[in-house]
PDB file of all heavy atoms in Angstrom:
ATOM      1  N   LYS W   1     255.206 155.678  55.213  1.00  0.00           N
ATOM      2  CA  LYS W   1     254.937 156.131  56.582  1.00  0.00           C
ATOM      3  C   LYS W   1     253.480 156.551  56.747  1.00  0.00           C
ATOM      4  O   LYS W   1     252.945 156.513  57.840  1.00  0.00           O
ATOM      5  CB  LYS W   1     255.847 157.311  56.952  1.00  0.00           C
ATOM      6  CG  LYS W   1     257.299 156.916  57.006  1.00  0.00           C
ATOM      7  CD  LYS W   1     257.495 155.933  58.133  1.00  0.00           C
ATOM      8  CE  LYS W   1     258.858 155.292  58.084  1.00  0.00           C
ATOM      9  NZ  LYS W   1     258.883 154.046  58.824  1.00  0.00           N
ATOM     10  N   ARG W   2     252.851 157.004  55.669  1.00  0.00           N
ATOM     11  CA  ARG W   2     251.458 157.447  55.737  1.00  0.00           C
ATOM     12  C   ARG W   2     250.682 156.666  54.681  1.00  0.00           C
ATOM     13  O   ARG W   2     250.894 156.843  53.500  1.00  0.00           O
ATOM     14  CB  ARG W   2     251.390 158.943  55.467  1.00  0.00           C
ATOM     15  CG  ARG W   2     250.020 159.530  55.537  1.00  0.00           C
ATOM     16  CD  ARG W   2     249.475 159.609  56.919  1.00  0.00           C
ATOM     17  NE  ARG W   2     250.227 160.636  57.636  1.00  0.00           N
ATOM     18  CZ  ARG W   2     250.031 160.929  58.897  1.00  0.00           C
ATOM     19  NH1 ARG W   2     249.120 160.298  59.580  1.00  0.00           N
ATOM     20  NH2 ARG W   2     250.737 161.850  59.486  1.00  0.00           N
ATOM     21  N   ARG W   3     249.789 155.810  55.135  1.00  0.00           N
ATOM     22  CA  ARG W   3     249.030 154.934  54.242  1.00  0.00           C
ATOM     23  C   ARG W   3     247.562 154.893  54.657  1.00  0.00           C
ATOM     24  O   ARG W   3     247.204 155.227  55.785  1.00  0.00           O
ATOM     25  CB  ARG W   3     249.587 153.503  54.291  1.00  0.00           C
ATOM     26  CG  ARG W   3     251.004 153.360  53.804  1.00  0.00           C
ATOM     27  CD  ARG W   3     251.088 153.630  52.346  1.00  0.00           C
ATOM     28  NE  ARG W   3     252.249 152.954  51.784  1.00  0.00           N
ATOM     29  CZ  ARG W   3     252.653 153.130  50.554  1.00  0.00           C
ATOM     30  NH1 ARG W   3     252.020 153.941  49.760  1.00  0.00           N
ATOM     31  NH2 ARG W   3     253.697 152.502  50.099  1.00  0.00           N
ATOM     32  N   GLY W   4     246.712 154.441  53.751  1.00  0.00           N
ATOM     33  CA  GLY W   4     245.330 154.134  54.067  1.00  0.00           C
ATOM     34  C   GLY W   4     244.430 155.333  54.294  1.00  0.00           C
ATOM     35  O   GLY W   4     244.672 156.432  53.812  1.00  0.00           O
ATOM     36  N   VAL W   5     243.371 155.067  55.062  1.00  0.00           N
ATOM     37  CA  VAL W   5     242.310 156.030  55.317  1.00  0.00           C
ATOM     38  C   VAL W   5     242.279 156.384  56.808  1.00  0.00           C
ATOM     39  O   VAL W   5     242.751 155.598  57.637  1.00  0.00           O
ATOM     40  CB  VAL W   5     240.950 155.437  54.855  1.00  0.00           C
ATOM     41  CG1 VAL W   5     240.516 154.277  55.731  1.00  0.00           C
ATOM     42  CG2 VAL W   5     239.863 156.474  54.745  1.00  0.00           C
ATOM     43  N   ASP W   6     241.740 157.555  57.140  1.00  0.00           N
ATOM     44  CA  ASP W   6     241.553 157.896  58.552  1.00  0.00           C
ATOM     45  C   ASP W   6     240.074 157.810  58.912  1.00  0.00           C
ATOM     46  O   ASP W   6     239.231 157.500  58.060  1.00  0.00           O
ATOM     47  CB  ASP W   6     242.162 159.265  58.889  1.00  0.00           C
ATOM     48  CG  ASP W   6     241.429 160.441  58.261  1.00  0.00           C
ATOM     49  OD1 ASP W   6     240.320 160.263  57.708  1.00  0.00           O
ATOM     50  OD2 ASP W   6     241.967 161.563  58.316  1.00  0.00           O
ATOM     51  N   LYS W   7     239.725 158.116  60.147  1.00  0.00           N
ATOM     52  CA  LYS W   7     238.353 157.962  60.635  1.00  0.00           C
ATOM     53  C   LYS W   7     237.364 158.902  59.952  1.00  0.00           C
ATOM     54  O   LYS W   7     236.163 158.692  59.996  1.00  0.00           O
ATOM     55  CB  LYS W   7     238.298 158.150  62.148  1.00  0.00           C
ATOM     56  CG  LYS W   7     238.687 159.537  62.594  1.00  0.00           C
ATOM     57  CD  LYS W   7     238.650 159.682  64.090  1.00  0.00           C
ATOM     58  CE  LYS W   7     239.142 161.076  64.422  1.00  0.00           C
ATOM     59  NZ  LYS W   7     238.499 161.692  65.490  1.00  0.00           N
ATOM     60  N   ASN W   8     237.872 159.946  59.274  1.00  0.00           N
ATOM     61  CA  ASN W   8     237.011 160.898  58.573  1.00  0.00           C
ATOM     62  C   ASN W   8     236.877 160.594  57.081  1.00  0.00           C
ATOM     63  O   ASN W   8     236.227 161.343  56.356  1.00  0.00           O
ATOM     64  CB  ASN W   8     237.540 162.320  58.746  1.00  0.00           C
ATOM     65  CG  ASN W   8     237.557 162.740  60.195  1.00  0.00           C
ATOM     66  OD1 ASN W   8     236.599 162.501  60.924  1.00  0.00           O
ATOM     67  ND2 ASN W   8     238.644 163.326  60.623  1.00  0.00           N
ATOM     68  N   GLY W   9     237.548 159.544  56.608  1.00  0.00           N
ATOM     69  CA  GLY W   9     237.479 159.188  55.198  1.00  0.00           C
ATOM     70  C   GLY W   9     238.538 159.832  54.330  1.00  0.00           C
ATOM     71  O   GLY W   9     238.500 159.723  53.110  1.00  0.00           O
ATOM     72  N   ASN W  10     239.508 160.503  54.943  1.00  0.00           N
ATOM     73  CA  ASN W  10     240.615 161.097  54.178  1.00  0.00           C
ATOM     74  C   ASN W  10     241.661 160.036  53.915  1.00  0.00           C
ATOM     75  O   ASN W  10     242.061 159.321  54.825  1.00  0.00           O
ATOM     76  CB  ASN W  10     241.252 162.248  54.966  1.00  0.00           C
ATOM     77  CG  ASN W  10     240.278 163.353  55.250  1.00  0.00           C
ATOM     78  OD1 ASN W  10     239.667 163.888  54.347  1.00  0.00           O
ATOM     79  ND2 ASN W  10     240.118 163.693  56.520  1.00  0.00           N
ATOM     80  N   VAL W  11     242.116 159.947  52.661  1.00  0.00           N
ATOM     81  CA  VAL W  11     243.155 158.976  52.330  1.00  0.00           C
ATOM     82  C   VAL W  11     244.515 159.652  52.304  1.00  0.00           C
ATOM     83  O   VAL W  11     244.627 160.855  52.045  1.00  0.00           O
ATOM     84  CB  VAL W  11     242.896 158.260  50.986  1.00  0.00           C
ATOM     85  CG1 VAL W  11     241.626 157.429  51.056  1.00  0.00           C
ATOM     86  CG2 VAL W  11     242.850 159.218  49.826  1.00  0.00           C
ATOM     87  N   ALA W  12     245.544 158.884  52.550  1.00  0.00           N
ATOM     88  CA  ALA W  12     246.909 159.404  52.581  1.00  0.00           C
ATOM     89  C   ALA W  12     247.340 159.872  51.191  1.00  0.00           C
ATOM     90  O   ALA W  12     247.018 159.246  50.180  1.00  0.00           O
ATOM     91  CB  ALA W  12     247.865 158.323  53.086  1.00  0.00           C
ATOM     92  N   ASN W  13     248.054 160.970  51.179  1.00  0.00           N
ATOM     93  CA  ASN W  13     248.688 161.512  49.978  1.00  0.00           C
ATOM     94  C   ASN W  13     247.730 161.657  48.799  1.00  0.00           C
ATOM     95  O   ASN W  13     248.049 161.300  47.671  1.00  0.00           O
ATOM     96  CB  ASN W  13     249.918 160.684  49.617  1.00  0.00           C
ATOM     97  CG  ASN W  13     250.932 160.742  50.725  1.00  0.00           C
ATOM     98  OD1 ASN W  13     251.303 161.819  51.180  1.00  0.00           O
ATOM     99  ND2 ASN W  13     251.352 159.592  51.220  1.00  0.00           N
ATOM    100  N   TYR W  14     246.578 162.229  49.068  1.00  0.00           N
ATOM    101  CA  TYR W  14     245.542 162.447  48.066  1.00  0.00           C
ATOM    102  C   TYR W  14     245.918 163.637  47.184  1.00  0.00           C
ATOM    103  O   TYR W  14     246.303 164.700  47.674  1.00  0.00           O
ATOM    104  CB  TYR W  14     244.212 162.724  48.767  1.00  0.00           C
ATOM    105  CG  TYR W  14     243.057 162.972  47.838  1.00  0.00           C
ATOM    106  CD1 TYR W  14     242.332 161.918  47.318  1.00  0.00           C
ATOM    107  CD2 TYR W  14     242.687 164.263  47.494  1.00  0.00           C
ATOM    108  CE1 TYR W  14     241.256 162.142  46.470  1.00  0.00           C
ATOM    109  CE2 TYR W  14     241.620 164.495  46.652  1.00  0.00           C
ATOM    110  CZ  TYR W  14     240.907 163.430  46.150  1.00  0.00           C
ATOM    111  OH  TYR W  14     239.850 163.654  45.309  1.00  0.00           O
ATOM    112  N   VAL W  15     245.803 163.464  45.870  1.00  0.00           N
ATOM    113  CA  VAL W  15     246.117 164.520  44.908  1.00  0.00           C
ATOM    114  C   VAL W  15     245.023 164.562  43.854  1.00  0.00           C
ATOM    115  O   VAL W  15     244.613 163.528  43.326  1.00  0.00           O
ATOM    116  CB  VAL W  15     247.479 164.281  44.210  1.00  0.00           C
ATOM    117  CG1 VAL W  15     247.764 165.354  43.176  1.00  0.00           C
ATOM    118  CG2 VAL W  15     248.607 164.207  45.227  1.00  0.00           C
ATOM    119  N   GLU W  16     244.557 165.770  43.557  1.00  0.00           N
ATOM    120  CA  GLU W  16     243.613 165.980  42.457  1.00  0.00           C
ATOM    121  C   GLU W  16     244.371 166.692  41.345  1.00  0.00           C
ATOM    122  O   GLU W  16     245.008 167.719  41.584  1.00  0.00           O
ATOM    123  CB  GLU W  16     242.449 166.855  42.923  1.00  0.00           C
ATOM    124  CG  GLU W  16     241.491 167.200  41.800  1.00  0.00           C
ATOM    125  CD  GLU W  16     240.546 168.324  42.167  1.00  0.00           C
ATOM    126  OE1 GLU W  16     241.004 169.489  42.233  1.00  0.00           O
ATOM    127  OE2 GLU W  16     239.368 168.029  42.393  1.00  0.00           O
ATOM    128  N   THR W  17     244.334 166.127  40.136  1.00  0.00           N
ATOM    129  CA  THR W  17     245.003 166.731  38.987  1.00  0.00           C
ATOM    130  C   THR W  17     243.962 167.018  37.919  1.00  0.00           C
ATOM    131  O   THR W  17     243.207 166.134  37.529  1.00  0.00           O
ATOM    132  CB  THR W  17     246.091 165.804  38.414  1.00  0.00           C
ATOM    133  OG1 THR W  17     247.062 165.557  39.443  1.00  0.00           O
ATOM    134  CG2 THR W  17     246.782 166.434  37.217  1.00  0.00           C
ATOM    135  N   GLU W  18     243.939 168.266  37.476  1.00  0.00           N
ATOM    136  CA  GLU W  18     242.996 168.658  36.431  1.00  0.00           C
ATOM    137  C   GLU W  18     243.771 169.095  35.201  1.00  0.00           C
ATOM    138  O   GLU W  18     244.718 169.866  35.275  1.00  0.00           O
ATOM    139  CB  GLU W  18     242.105 169.803  36.916  1.00  0.00           C
ATOM    140  CG  GLU W  18     241.064 170.205  35.903  1.00  0.00           C
ATOM    141  CD  GLU W  18     240.019 171.159  36.465  1.00  0.00           C
ATOM    142  OE1 GLU W  18     240.199 171.648  37.598  1.00  0.00           O
ATOM    143  OE2 GLU W  18     239.024 171.409  35.768  1.00  0.00           O
ATOM    144  N   GLN W  19     243.354 168.574  34.060  1.00  0.00           N
ATOM    145  CA  GLN W  19     243.928 168.967  32.774  1.00  0.00           C
ATOM    146  C   GLN W  19     242.851 169.762  32.041  1.00  0.00           C
ATOM    147  O   GLN W  19     241.734 169.290  31.861  1.00  0.00           O
ATOM    148  CB  GLN W  19     244.302 167.730  31.961  1.00  0.00           C
ATOM    149  CG  GLN W  19     244.819 168.044  30.588  1.00  0.00           C
ATOM    150  CD  GLN W  19     245.118 166.778  29.803  1.00  0.00           C
ATOM    151  OE1 GLN W  19     245.351 165.724  30.353  1.00  0.00           O
ATOM    152  NE2 GLN W  19     245.084 166.887  28.495  1.00  0.00           N
ATOM    153  N   LEU W  20     243.196 170.981  31.658  1.00  0.00           N
ATOM    154  CA  LEU W  20     242.274 171.850  30.933  1.00  0.00           C
ATOM    155  C   LEU W  20     242.821 172.115  29.546  1.00  0.00           C
ATOM    156  O   LEU W  20     244.019 172.402  29.385  1.00  0.00           O
ATOM    157  CB  LEU W  20     242.107 173.181  31.664  1.00  0.00           C
ATOM    158  CG  LEU W  20     241.468 173.095  33.040  1.00  0.00           C
ATOM    159  CD1 LEU W  20     241.904 174.251  33.909  1.00  0.00           C
ATOM    160  CD2 LEU W  20     239.972 173.066  32.903  1.00  0.00           C
ATOM    161  N   ILE W  21     241.959 172.044  28.550  1.00  0.00           N
ATOM    162  CA  ILE W  21     242.344 172.368  27.176  1.00  0.00           C
ATOM    163  C   ILE W  21     241.336 173.373  26.653  1.00  0.00           C
ATOM    164  O   ILE W  21     240.125 173.126  26.691  1.00  0.00           O
ATOM    165  CB  ILE W  21     242.382 171.114  26.283  1.00  0.00           C
ATOM    166  CG1 ILE W  21     243.401 170.122  26.816  1.00  0.00           C
ATOM    167  CG2 ILE W  21     242.684 171.498  24.830  1.00  0.00           C
ATOM    168  CD1 ILE W  21     243.437 168.807  26.095  1.00  0.00           C
ATOM    169  N   HIS W  22     241.837 174.513  26.190  1.00  0.00           N
ATOM    170  CA  HIS W  22     240.976 175.556  25.645  1.00  0.00           C
ATOM    171  C   HIS W  22     241.315 175.722  24.167  1.00  0.00           C
ATOM    172  O   HIS W  22     242.457 175.988  23.810  1.00  0.00           O
ATOM    173  CB  HIS W  22     241.203 176.875  26.400  1.00  0.00           C
ATOM    174  CG  HIS W  22     240.326 177.971  25.912  1.00  0.00           C
ATOM    175  ND1 HIS W  22     239.018 178.099  26.307  1.00  0.00           N
ATOM    176  CD2 HIS W  22     240.564 178.994  25.048  1.00  0.00           C
ATOM    177  CE1 HIS W  22     238.478 179.153  25.718  1.00  0.00           C
ATOM    178  NE2 HIS W  22     239.406 179.706  24.948  1.00  0.00           N
ATOM    179  N   VAL W  23     240.305 175.534  23.310  1.00  0.00           N
ATOM    180  CA  VAL W  23     240.496 175.684  21.870  1.00  0.00           C
ATOM    181  C   VAL W  23     239.176 176.144  21.249  1.00  0.00           C
ATOM    182  O   VAL W  23     238.106 175.669  21.633  1.00  0.00           O
ATOM    183  CB  VAL W  23     241.009 174.379  21.218  1.00  0.00           C
ATOM    184  CG1 VAL W  23     240.010 173.249  21.349  1.00  0.00           C
ATOM    185  CG2 VAL W  23     241.390 174.602  19.760  1.00  0.00           C
ATOM    186  N   HIS W  24     239.252 177.077  20.299  1.00  0.00           N
ATOM    187  CA  HIS W  24     238.066 177.586  19.592  1.00  0.00           C
ATOM    188  C   HIS W  24     236.955 177.995  20.567  1.00  0.00           C
ATOM    189  O   HIS W  24     235.796 177.608  20.410  1.00  0.00           O
ATOM    190  CB  HIS W  24     237.522 176.557  18.601  1.00  0.00           C
ATOM    191  CG  HIS W  24     238.456 176.215  17.493  1.00  0.00           C
ATOM    192  ND1 HIS W  24     238.867 177.132  16.545  1.00  0.00           N
ATOM    193  CD2 HIS W  24     239.065 175.053  17.169  1.00  0.00           C
ATOM    194  CE1 HIS W  24     239.674 176.544  15.690  1.00  0.00           C
ATOM    195  NE2 HIS W  24     239.825 175.291  16.050  1.00  0.00           N
ATOM    196  N   ASN W  25     237.282 178.731  21.599  1.00  0.00           N
ATOM    197  CA  ASN W  25     236.316 179.221  22.597  1.00  0.00           C
ATOM    198  C   ASN W  25     235.598 178.110  23.366  1.00  0.00           C
ATOM    199  O   ASN W  25     234.513 178.307  23.892  1.00  0.00           O
ATOM    200  CB  ASN W  25     235.286 180.159  21.959  1.00  0.00           C
ATOM    201  CG  ASN W  25     235.930 181.421  21.445  1.00  0.00           C
ATOM    202  OD1 ASN W  25     236.824 181.971  22.103  1.00  0.00           O
ATOM    203  ND2 ASN W  25     235.522 181.877  20.288  1.00  0.00           N
ATOM    204  N   HIS W  26     236.181 176.936  23.403  1.00  0.00           N
ATOM    205  CA  HIS W  26     235.644 175.823  24.183  1.00  0.00           C
ATOM    206  C   HIS W  26     236.713 175.371  25.173  1.00  0.00           C
ATOM    207  O   HIS W  26     237.892 175.308  24.831  1.00  0.00           O
ATOM    208  CB  HIS W  26     235.267 174.634  23.284  1.00  0.00           C
ATOM    209  CG  HIS W  26     234.187 174.944  22.321  1.00  0.00           C
ATOM    210  ND1 HIS W  26     232.863 174.999  22.676  1.00  0.00           N
ATOM    211  CD2 HIS W  26     234.228 175.230  20.994  1.00  0.00           C
ATOM    212  CE1 HIS W  26     232.134 175.295  21.621  1.00  0.00           C
ATOM    213  NE2 HIS W  26     232.942 175.445  20.581  1.00  0.00           N
ATOM    214  N   THR W  27     236.298 175.059  26.381  1.00  0.00           N
ATOM    215  CA  THR W  27     237.215 174.561  27.388  1.00  0.00           C
ATOM    216  C   THR W  27     236.792 173.162  27.799  1.00  0.00           C
ATOM    217  O   THR W  27     235.628 172.926  28.124  1.00  0.00           O
ATOM    218  CB  THR W  27     237.248 175.482  28.625  1.00  0.00           C
ATOM    219  OG1 THR W  27     237.616 176.796  28.196  1.00  0.00           O
ATOM    220  CG2 THR W  27     238.255 174.985  29.654  1.00  0.00           C
ATOM    221  N   LEU W  28     237.737 172.242  27.751  1.00  0.00           N
ATOM    222  CA  LEU W  28     237.507 170.858  28.149  1.00  0.00           C
ATOM    223  C   LEU W  28     238.299 170.587  29.417  1.00  0.00           C
ATOM    224  O   LEU W  28     239.413 171.085  29.580  1.00  0.00           O
ATOM    225  CB  LEU W  28     237.984 169.905  27.046  1.00  0.00           C
ATOM    226  CG  LEU W  28     237.424 170.178  25.653  1.00  0.00           C
ATOM    227  CD1 LEU W  28     238.276 169.508  24.598  1.00  0.00           C
ATOM    228  CD2 LEU W  28     235.994 169.708  25.573  1.00  0.00           C
ATOM    229  N   SER W  29     237.735 169.778  30.301  1.00  0.00           N
ATOM    230  CA  SER W  29     238.397 169.480  31.566  1.00  0.00           C
ATOM    231  C   SER W  29     238.378 167.984  31.820  1.00  0.00           C
ATOM    232  O   SER W  29     237.369 167.316  31.565  1.00  0.00           O
ATOM    233  CB  SER W  29     237.673 170.201  32.702  1.00  0.00           C
ATOM    234  OG  SER W  29     238.149 169.756  33.947  1.00  0.00           O
ATOM    235  N   PHE W  30     239.485 167.467  32.308  1.00  0.00           N
ATOM    236  CA  PHE W  30     239.584 166.071  32.731  1.00  0.00           C
ATOM    237  C   PHE W  30     240.224 166.065  34.105  1.00  0.00           C
ATOM    238  O   PHE W  30     241.294 166.632  34.292  1.00  0.00           O
ATOM    239  CB  PHE W  30     240.423 165.252  31.745  1.00  0.00           C
ATOM    240  CG  PHE W  30     240.620 163.829  32.173  1.00  0.00           C
ATOM    241  CD1 PHE W  30     239.596 162.905  32.046  1.00  0.00           C
ATOM    242  CD2 PHE W  30     241.811 163.417  32.737  1.00  0.00           C
ATOM    243  CE1 PHE W  30     239.766 161.595  32.461  1.00  0.00           C
ATOM    244  CE2 PHE W  30     241.992 162.113  33.155  1.00  0.00           C
ATOM    245  CZ  PHE W  30     240.963 161.192  33.007  1.00  0.00           C
ATOM    246  N   ILE W  31     239.559 165.448  35.070  1.00  0.00           N
ATOM    247  CA  ILE W  31     240.073 165.412  36.434  1.00  0.00           C
ATOM    248  C   ILE W  31     240.404 163.979  36.818  1.00  0.00           C
ATOM    249  O   ILE W  31     239.623 163.059  36.596  1.00  0.00           O
ATOM    250  CB  ILE W  31     239.056 165.995  37.435  1.00  0.00           C
ATOM    251  CG1 ILE W  31     238.812 167.470  37.116  1.00  0.00           C
ATOM    252  CG2 ILE W  31     239.553 165.824  38.861  1.00  0.00           C
ATOM    253  CD1 ILE W  31     237.774 168.131  37.982  1.00  0.00           C
ATOM    254  N   GLN W  32     241.575 163.824  37.394  1.00  0.00           N
ATOM    255  CA  GLN W  32     242.039 162.530  37.903  1.00  0.00           C
ATOM    256  C   GLN W  32     242.435 162.723  39.359  1.00  0.00           C
ATOM    257  O   GLN W  32     243.107 163.697  39.689  1.00  0.00           O
ATOM    258  CB  GLN W  32     243.232 162.065  37.078  1.00  0.00           C
ATOM    259  CG  GLN W  32     243.882 160.819  37.589  1.00  0.00           C
ATOM    260  CD  GLN W  32     245.079 160.429  36.737  1.00  0.00           C
ATOM    261  OE1 GLN W  32     245.055 160.519  35.528  1.00  0.00           O
ATOM    262  NE2 GLN W  32     246.141 160.023  37.384  1.00  0.00           N
ATOM    263  N   THR W  33     241.996 161.813  40.207  1.00  0.00           N
ATOM    264  CA  THR W  33     242.410 161.865  41.602  1.00  0.00           C
ATOM    265  C   THR W  33     243.210 160.613  41.912  1.00  0.00           C
ATOM    266  O   THR W  33     243.053 159.580  41.254  1.00  0.00           O
ATOM    267  CB  THR W  33     241.206 161.950  42.564  1.00  0.00           C
ATOM    268  OG1 THR W  33     240.390 160.796  42.408  1.00  0.00           O
ATOM    269  CG2 THR W  33     240.389 163.199  42.306  1.00  0.00           C
ATOM    270  N   ARG W  34     244.081 160.721  42.884  1.00  0.00           N
ATOM    271  CA  ARG W  34     244.841 159.556  43.319  1.00  0.00           C
ATOM    272  C   ARG W  34     245.046 159.655  44.817  1.00  0.00           C
ATOM    273  O   ARG W  34     245.035 160.742  45.384  1.00  0.00           O
ATOM    274  CB  ARG W  34     246.186 159.442  42.607  1.00  0.00           C
ATOM    275  CG  ARG W  34     247.162 160.535  43.026  1.00  0.00           C
ATOM    276  CD  ARG W  34     248.620 160.190  42.933  1.00  0.00           C
ATOM    277  NE  ARG W  34     249.046 158.972  43.539  1.00  0.00           N
ATOM    278  CZ  ARG W  34     249.375 158.794  44.813  1.00  0.00           C
ATOM    279  NH1 ARG W  34     249.294 159.780  45.672  1.00  0.00           N
ATOM    280  NH2 ARG W  34     249.803 157.639  45.248  1.00  0.00           N
TER     281      ARG W  34
END
């Protein structure tokens, strides 16, 4: 029912997912959008 892009550049059902891993006082981040 909701597809594509609108006039402002927003895409339907946009999700940002971030995976964070913290080990030995270091934090790593990986971001995926869909």
Side-chain angles (χ1 to χ4, degrees):
K1 294 295 169 201
R2 181 71 70 182
R3 297 293 205 188
V5 69
D6 69 10
K7 64 181 176 143
N8 298 316
N10 299 305
V11 296
N13 298 308
Y14 180 85
V15 178
E16 176 194 73
T17 300
E18 183 170 9
Q19 176 182 337
L20 296 154
I21 299 175
H22 181 81
V23 63
H24 297 296
N25 295 320
H26 297 282
T27 303
L28 307 161
S29 170
F30 177 76
I31 297 177
Q32 174 181 319
T33 61
R34 69 152 310 275

